[in-house]
Amino acid sequence: MYFNGQVLNADRQFTDHCEHEVPVQVYYDKQHYDIGYVQKVNPAFIKINNIFYNRNQFTFISRPGF
């Protein structure tokens, strides 16, 4: 179970969010950038809303119930 506002960084966290359709909020430099569902996960990128986000450049936050 994930809580609202939890920072995601492990592959399993992203896979769980993808499988269970839990929304993820994307931040860039501490500012909201996007929100949506994880579509694909790989070691370098997370695909959300048909956009590939670099895992080292963006911060990903769990938003269950959004």
Side-chain angles (χ1 to χ4, degrees):
M1 174 172 264
Y2 298 94
F3 59 88
N4 192 18
Q6 181 174 348
V7 176
L8 307 175
N9 50 31
D11 286 346
R12 186 67 199 156
Q13 292 173 317
F14 290 112
T15 302
D16 285 346
H17 279 69
C18 181
E19 290 174 357
H20 300 289
E21 297 182 342
V22 177
V24 173
Q25 191 168 9
V26 181
Y27 281 86
Y28 178 75
D29 197 26
K30 298 184 182 181
Q31 296 218 346
H32 168 79
Y33 196 83
D34 197 2
I35 191 165
Y37 298 100
V38 174
Q39 297 168 296
K40 294 207 185 262
V41 177
N42 75 38
F45 295 94
I46 303 298
K47 184 178 180 184
I48 297 173
N49 296 332
N50 292 317
I51 300 170
F52 287 92
Y53 291 100
N54 185 308
R55 291 173 69 162
N56 294 321
Q57 188 175 8
F58 292 88
T59 302
F60 304 93
I61 307 293
S62 181
R63 293 294 183 210
F66 182 79

